[in-house]
Amino acid sequence: MSLAQLENLCKQLYETTDTTTRLQAEKALVEFTNSPDCLSKCQLLLERGSSSYSQLLAATCLTKLVSRTNNPLPLEQRIDIRNYVLNYLATRPKLATFVTQALIQLYARITKLGWFDCQKDEYVFRNVITDVTRFLQDSVEHCIIGVTILSQLTNEINQVSATAFLSEADTTHPLTKHRKIASSFRDSSLFDIFTLSCNLLKQASGKNLNLNDESQHGLLMQLLKLTHNCLNFDFIGTSTDESSDDLCTVQIPTSWRSAFLDSSTLQLFFDLYHSIPPSFSPLVLSCLVQIASVRRSLFNNAERAKFLSHLVDGVKRILENPQSLSDPNNYHEFCRLLARLKSNYQLGELVKVENYPEVIRLIANFTVTSLQHWEFAPNSVHYLLSLWQRLAASVPYVKATEPHMLETYTPEVTKAYITSRLESVHIILRDGLEDPLDDTGLVQQQLDQLSTIGRCEYEKTCALLVQLFDQSAQSYQELLQSATATPMDVAVQEGRLTWLVYIIGAVIGGRVSFASTDEQDAMDGELVCRVLQLMNLTDSRLAQAGNEKLELAMLSFFEQFRKIYIGDQVQKSSKLYRRLSEVLGLNDETMVLSVFIGKIITNLKYWGRCEPITSKTLQLLNDLSIGYSSVRKLVKLSAVQFMLNNHTSEHFSFLGINNQSNLTDMRCRTTFYTALGRLLMVDLGEDEDQYEQFMLPLTAAFEAVAQMFSTNTFNEQEAKRTLVGLVRDLRGIAFAFNAKTSFMMLFEWIYPSYMPILQRAIELWYHDPACTTPVLKLMAELVHNRSQRLQFDVSSPNGILLFRETSKMITTYGNRILTLGEVPKDQVYALKLKGISICFSMLKAALSGSYVNFGVFRLYGDDALDNALQTFIKLLLSIPHSDLLLQPVLPGSCVRHCLSL
């Protein structure tokens, strides 16, 4: 292609609005990238191209060329490209921003990939500071380019995903190679770059910068980005998730000590924060967050105390002049900075800081104000609550004589959170705003933090909750009895009660056994009584109306109550039970369990069509069925016996046996039958009649499906629905039956009578994952030797027979799924990869279960093992390499077990 043709293609790619033209241009440019003369044409485009888009194409193509692992460019050629790029940037400082960025990316990629390349005993790509010195000594535009080069290089070397060579030829040790480069860069260049950036920032702060000048504005921004990239470097290869703040220690090398012992480094960033416009401040605060997070072992005790004192003074100064915090980005970063104060320093160290009393007062006021303005930057509240959670959790361990004053301020924070959530309800309903309660993950995260804060000075927390709950409950009851009550008034009170029930559950869940007293247990009893009384009121109205969010709050409360007060480790003499006995007549744990089961059955009856409530209700039942002592008390309850004897009745409409819900809506059945299976195991004993009675409806359903399959014409949709539901039920039961006796009863029930039905379903509906996935998962569960339940007698052929059925299912599904042909990319996982993955899991469980003598198959000419292994290989080879890399463990494990044979 000529230069004119290339430029025209660039224009079509980047400017046209016609999709077809753009795709054709993209295809042609991809071919150009792979052409032999690409390198020379790229240089011509940079030299003679008339548009910025042609320069961008050249830079992008060159980056791909230097990144390729097959047929890499020679060292001399890469050196020439590096030098050419530097000269090009130096002589053209006013290129389009995206072109400059692409060329800097090219320089960074060449430098990283060639970090260990030598020429005449010299590492030719390591003189990065020398490379940019001439930029820093020239105009402001040149300085920006020089600083951006260092910033992009630091970022490039820090990121594994940025290196193309890691995903191709060097897949065996990608992280090792990346860490070798990153470690060398850290040791040889990074501190010099950090020092340079700090010195340039000091020079900039010492001058009267004209930030209205776009070039000076850009220089300061790039300097701050460079400094942040240096501080954000993965110094020891922990490869932390950038979306998480859990690992918040910056592993600064010991050789950097001098920079942090010098208080002027820390002071520089606090001074910058106060002297530059708010638009720059978030980056300054991000740098401070990293500086505040340097590892503790970098200092001795005296040095750490001095550093912390300077840090707290800087925080105090920001709190005293909070004007810039009205910017959401500043506010967010400052909240992160506050959280790091406690995550990296102990409360005993904080209280010894000279200005601690004033600082903790300012932080408390800032937190209360922030919580009261709940609509402003809600995602930042996490960091404030995290700070107070850690402070409150540290109180029992503080040995310092200085007062921590948390008994004064934690109740204020708790009150601010609770009252602000209640006050938000009316505003949200009135203005149609987004309800925070809809984000259950965020609510649960905040409640987990509040649970610790609220348990500090628990008497005050409990008194506040009792007062607010009584007010809202009384108002709610009056509204329900009033003929003039508006739906808005009722919704407001239900919203307030929803928050209160969530919070009560949280503070009960925050109980720590070694730190709790009888008085606090009695307070828990007061709160529990009120929630159970409210439950009785709302349940009595479910035939007419119900509130989904309030029901979900109730379930959250029950889960927290279960974890703390139901189980083998609970003191049955707890004053909570005494209070429940006095107010509600619930004298012991068995009677409390009856309330749980009653609520579960009520929810399944009235909320069967509401998936969130149904799934959480069944999860609660499942959790109750796990405890050793509680499950034995449960099976004695008449309500539990009702469930065991009527588990397919219309009462449990959520089961979807007779309703019109989709096949994928039946997932809850597995959870339900897992719980029933555990209960049945306890009740079973030697009474096989109980088991047969329980399985009778499932037997009838299987017989009905067998009858359908025996006819030439049958209702396919009805057959699918009945089978899918049944196998989900059976998988739940199989998961629960982890004892040899009970599992063998299930195995003898399903084999050989009903196994052909499962095989027939795979033959008919292999292309429909809504059917095949439950069937394959059931088979994978049946061959899983959990708790050594598959221990057959020496004379028993059951292990061999079970593997033959496994092999038949894998072979049937595998051979048929490979006939699907081309599958849309967005449906590959659902239609093929998920089922194949389950087959791999099934084969792995069978091969590693130690209940089959695989030598028997070849000895007697049985091809079941060979068929399974051959199908596994065919399926493995059918998976694209890129998809296989996403989950290599399972097929790798299968291969290992195959080789062991």
Side-chain angles (χ1 to χ4, degrees):
M1 283 186 280
S2 66
L3 289 182
Q5 288 175 310
L6 285 172
E7 290 202 316
N8 186 50
L9 287 172
C10 289
K11 189 173 183 180
Q12 291 175 358
L13 179 65
Y14 292 110
E15 292 183 352
T16 185
T17 57
D18 182 64
T19 305
T20 304
T21 304
R22 186 167 60 250
L23 289 175
Q24 290 174 348
E26 184 178 1
K27 183 178 179 181
L29 289 173
V30 168
E31 293 175 358
F32 163 69
T33 304
N34 298 323
S35 65
D37 63 343
C38 178
L39 184 61
S40 58
K41 287 287 177 65
C42 284
Q43 185 173 355
L44 286 174
L45 280 174
L46 288 171
E47 291 290 344
R48 303 178 188 175
S50 60
S51 74
S52 298
Y53 293 133
S54 59
Q55 295 168 331
L56 175 62
L57 172 68
T60 305
C61 289
L62 287 172
T63 303
K64 290 181 180 178
L65 284 176
V66 301
S67 301
R68 70 187 184 192
T69 53
N70 55 327
N71 192 23
L73 295 178
L75 176 60
E76 292 77 10
Q77 209 162 29
R78 284 182 285 129
I79 293 174
D80 290 342
I81 294 174
R82 188 271 311 270
N83 294 336
Y84 178 81
V85 168
L86 289 172
N87 288 328
Y88 193 87
L89 288 169
T91 55
R92 296 170 176 82
K94 295 188 177 181
L95 291 167
T97 304
F98 56 85
V99 176
T100 302
Q101 190 63 40
L103 289 168
I104 291 174
Q105 175 66 36
L106 170 59
Y107 169 84
R109 182 65 55 82
I110 291 175
T111 303
K112 176 169 185 175
L113 299 184
W115 191 254
F116 289 107
D117 289 343
C118 291
Q119 189 180 60
K120 297 179 181 178
D121 297 327
E122 178 187 1
Y123 290 111
V124 289
F125 291 105
R126 295 195 183 184
N127 298 320
V128 290
I129 295 182
T130 304
D131 289 344
V132 301
T133 298
R134 58 172 169 169
F135 290 94
L136 301 179
Q137 294 172 347
D138 210 317
S139 66
V140 175
E141 288 80 7
H142 284 88
C143 282
I144 292 175
I145 294 173
V147 172
T148 307
I149 287 174
L150 294 177
S151 181
Q152 184 60 42
L153 176 63
T154 304
N155 194 52
E156 173 80 14
I157 290 182
N158 194 38
Q159 290 185 1
V160 180
S161 58
T163 52
F165 72 96
L166 295 180
S167 60
E168 297 178 14
D170 197 31
T171 53
T172 51
H173 302 290
L175 189 58
T176 304
K177 191 166 185 177
H178 162 75
R179 283 310 310 164
K180 188 177 179 182
I181 295 171
S183 299
S184 174
F185 176 77
R186 175 200 65 198
D187 296 338
S188 63
S189 304
L190 187 58
F191 183 60
D192 292 334
I193 294 174
F194 175 70
T195 304
L196 175 63
S197 67
C198 289
N199 289 335
L200 291 173
L201 280 173
K202 287 176 183 176
Q203 293 175 21
S205 63
K207 299 176 181 177
N208 292 323
L209 280 175
N210 179 16
L211 295 177
N212 293 322
D213 183 337
E214 187 176 340
S215 60
Q216 294 190 19
H217 183 285
L219 176 58
L220 182 58
M221 182 65 75
Q222 291 302 326
L223 281 171
L224 290 171
K225 286 183 179 178
L226 171 58
T227 309
H228 183 258
N229 285 348
C230 291
L231 292 168
N232 205 39
F233 196 82
D234 186 7
F235 292 99
I236 61 171
T238 51
S239 300
T240 56
D241 179 5
E242 291 182 358
S243 65
S244 171
D245 261 341
D246 292 336
L247 298 175
C248 49
T249 299
V250 179
Q251 300 290 341
I252 294 291
T254 305
S255 58
W256 292 38
R257 261 173 54 86
S258 58
F260 293 92
L261 290 177
D262 183 358
S263 60
S264 64
T265 303
L266 186 59
Q267 193 60 43
L268 167 66
F269 292 94
F270 282 117
D271 290 342
L272 280 170
Y273 172 82
H274 291 286
S275 62
I276 61 178
S279 58
F280 291 95
S281 304
L283 264 177
V284 177
L285 289 172
S286 294
C287 292
L288 282 169
V289 168
Q290 296 302 105
I291 293 172
S293 306
V294 296
R295 59 186 174 92
R296 293 173 54 82
S297 55
L298 191 67
F299 310 109
N300 60 37
N301 290 341
E303 292 166 346
R304 190 183 309 114
K306 183 179 178 181
F307 181 82
L308 178 59
S309 179
H310 288 300
L311 183 62
V312 171
D313 284 343
V315 168
K316 176 174 173 285
R317 187 180 169 197
I318 294 176
L319 287 169
E320 290 173 337
N321 301 276
Q323 295 83 1
S324 295
L325 297 178
S326 58
D327 178 84
N329 293 325
N330 278 341
Y331 172 80
H332 182 77
E333 291 301 324
F334 183 66
C335 290
R336 291 183 65 221
L337 177 59
L338 289 178
R340 296 294 174 95
L341 282 179
K342 181 57 188 76
S343 61
N344 284 2
Y345 301 95
Q346 299 172 0
L347 180 57
E349 293 171 328
L350 286 167
V351 298
K352 293 179 180 178
V353 173
E354 183 180 356
N355 293 319
Y356 173 79
E358 179 64 14
V359 171
I360 197 67
R361 182 188 67 81
L362 290 169
I363 293 175
N365 291 341
F366 174 76
T367 304
V368 169
T369 303
S370 299
L371 292 173
Q372 289 171 343
H373 294 83
W374 50 269
E375 72 284 1
F376 179 79
N379 293 331
S380 306
V381 170
H382 159 76
Y383 298 104
L384 293 176
L385 293 178
S386 173
L387 167 66
W388 287 98
Q389 179 191 26
R390 288 188 168 109
L391 288 172
S394 301
V395 170
Y397 308 101
V398 176
K399 298 179 181 179
T401 56
E402 294 82 358
H404 52 68
M405 305 177 71
L406 295 181
E407 70 282 356
T408 302
Y409 296 116
T410 50
E412 294 182 8
V413 173
T414 302
K415 181 179 180 180
Y417 182 87
I418 296 172
T419 55
S420 64
R421 305 308 112 167
L422 300 187
E423 291 165 1
S424 71
V425 173
H426 180 262
I427 300 172
I428 289 169
L429 290 172
R430 182 194 65 195
D431 299 339
L433 302 177
E434 185 177 352
D435 191 348
L437 287 171
D438 292 334
D439 189 346
T440 53
L442 180 64
V443 170
Q444 196 56 56
Q445 183 188 61
Q446 293 181 359
L447 292 176
D448 289 343
Q449 295 167 324
L450 185 71
S451 65
T452 305
I453 303 169
R455 295 297 295 198
C456 187
E457 298 298 309
Y458 191 49
E459 296 81 0
K460 296 178 182 178
T461 302
C462 187
L464 175 66
L465 286 171
V466 167
Q467 176 194 348
L468 294 172
F469 192 96
D470 287 348
Q471 291 173 356
S472 293
Q474 183 177 351
S475 299
Y476 183 54
Q477 200 161 11
E478 291 172 354
L479 287 170
L480 294 180
Q481 296 169 354
S482 171
T484 60
T486 65
M488 171 64 83
D489 293 335
V490 174
V492 168
Q493 293 305 323
E494 287 180 341
R496 290 170 64 90
L497 287 169
T498 299
W499 273 110
L500 287 168
V501 172
Y502 266 125
I503 292 169
I504 288 172
V507 296
I508 289 174
R511 178 184 184 270
V512 180
S513 57
F514 69 83
S516 295
T517 63
D518 287 346
E519 290 73 20
Q520 290 181 343
D521 288 353
M523 295 176 204
D524 284 349
E526 293 287 347
L527 297 174
V528 171
C529 287
R530 283 165 169 77
V531 176
L532 293 182
Q533 288 169 331
L534 175 64
M535 181 196 73
N536 292 334
L537 174 62
T538 55
D539 283 357
S540 67
R541 300 182 63 249
L542 284 177
Q544 295 82 36
N547 186 295
E548 180 181 337
K549 292 176 184 176
L550 182 54
E551 290 296 334
L552 289 172
M554 291 281 186
L555 289 168
S556 176
F557 160 80
F558 274 113
E559 178 58 22
Q560 298 295 336
F561 182 82
R562 179 198 65 80
K563 288 194 298 186
I564 301 300
Y565 285 108
I566 291 180
D568 305 332
Q569 308 300 321
V570 180
Q571 293 278 348
K572 299 307 181 292
S573 59
S574 166
K575 283 197 174 182
L576 174 134
Y577 280 98
R578 296 186 195 177
R579 190 59 184 154
L580 291 180
S581 176
E582 294 167 1
V583 178
L584 300 176
L586 302 175
N587 300 322
D588 54 26
E589 186 178 290
T590 301
M591 297 187 72
V592 172
L593 286 172
S594 69
V595 173
F596 273 72
I597 295 299
K599 181 58 178 172
I600 289 169
I601 293 177
T602 299
N603 281 3
L604 296 181
K605 179 178 180 180
Y606 289 104
W607 293 98
R609 306 287 180 151
C610 179
E611 194 277 333
I613 292 178
T614 300
S615 62
K616 289 185 181 298
T617 299
L618 291 174
Q619 189 58 52
L620 177 62
L621 175 63
N622 197 36
D623 292 339
L624 287 171
S625 69
I626 294 174
Y628 179 83
S629 63
S630 59
V631 72
R632 280 156 177 76
K633 294 174 181 177
L634 282 173
V635 294
K636 297 176 182 177
L637 298 176
S638 58
V640 171
Q641 290 298 317
F642 170 80
M643 283 198 294
L644 290 174
N645 296 325
N646 301 275
H647 54 91
T648 58
S649 72
E650 294 183 359
H651 186 95
F652 302 112
S653 60
F654 75 94
L655 291 176
I657 293 176
N658 298 314
N659 66 23
Q660 300 301 312
S661 61
N662 296 326
L663 296 181
T664 52
D665 293 337
M666 295 185 180
R667 296 188 183 97
C668 56
R669 297 177 65 141
T670 302
T671 307
F672 181 61
Y673 275 91
T674 297
L676 292 189
R678 292 196 184 103
L679 294 167
L680 183 64
M681 277 183 62
V682 176
D683 205 32
L684 192 58
E686 300 297 326
D687 184 7
E688 294 192 10
D689 292 338
Q690 171 82 8
Y691 173 77
E692 292 176 1
Q693 180 69 24
F694 179 83
M695 299 297 289
L696 199 58
L698 303 179
T699 302
F702 256 124
E703 294 292 348
V705 175
Q707 184 65 31
M708 292 182 196
F709 283 167
S710 66
T711 61
N712 293 327
T713 59
F714 60 89
N715 187 325
E716 185 174 347
Q717 188 62 25
E718 181 183 353
K720 282 183 179 181
R721 293 187 54 76
T722 308
L723 192 68
V724 173
L726 279 172
V727 295
R728 290 189 184 279
D729 303 345
L730 286 173
R731 184 160 73 92
I733 296 170
F735 182 82
F737 283 8
N738 55 11
K740 179 181 177 181
T741 304
S742 57
F743 188 80
M744 288 311 302
M745 293 175 70
L746 176 66
F747 177 77
E748 290 168 0
W749 178 85
I750 199 172
Y751 182 86
S753 302
Y754 304 123
M755 196 64 77
I757 297 176
L758 302 180
Q759 303 286 5
R760 180 61 174 155
I762 292 292
E763 293 173 6
L764 288 175
W765 302 315
Y766 66 91
H767 57 280
D768 186 354
C771 293
T772 56
T773 297
V775 175
L776 293 172
K777 283 187 174 181
L778 170 62
M779 197 66 188
E781 182 59 41
L782 290 174
V783 300
H784 190 184
N785 193 9
R786 181 179 289 108
S787 302
Q788 298 299 302
R789 62 188 182 180
L790 285 169
Q791 292 298 314
F792 301 108
D793 295 335
V794 175
S795 59
S796 172
N798 284 342
I800 295 170
L801 295 174
L802 178 58
F803 184 79
R804 289 179 67 181
E805 294 296 332
T806 306
S807 172
K808 183 178 179 182
M809 185 168 290
I810 291 174
T811 304
T812 301
Y813 177 79
N815 290 334
R816 281 168 169 75
I817 204 66
L818 291 175
T819 65
L820 281 184
E822 195 68 27
V823 177
K825 201 166 186 178
D826 59 336
Q827 299 179 33
V828 168
Y829 176 76
L831 292 179
K832 290 182 69 174
L833 295 184
K834 186 173 184 179
I836 291 173
S837 176
I838 299 170
C839 286
F840 288 173
S841 179
M842 187 193 312
L843 182 60
K844 173 181 177 293
L847 293 175
S848 61
S850 301
Y851 54 85
V852 184
N853 183 347
F854 290 103
V856 169
F857 292 101
R858 179 165 295 180
L859 182 64
Y860 290 99
D862 192 323
D863 58 1
L865 177 61
D866 289 339
N867 290 341
L869 297 182
Q870 289 171 11
T871 304
F872 164 68
I873 296 299
K874 286 193 289 186
L875 291 173
L876 186 63
L877 294 176
S878 73
I879 303 174
H881 185 240
S882 57
D883 293 330
L884 196 60
L885 286 176
L886 296 177
Q887 193 180 9
V889 176
L890 193 57
S893 180
C894 286
V895 170
R896 186 170 66 253
H897 286 292
C898 293
L899 292 175
S900 69
L901 297 177

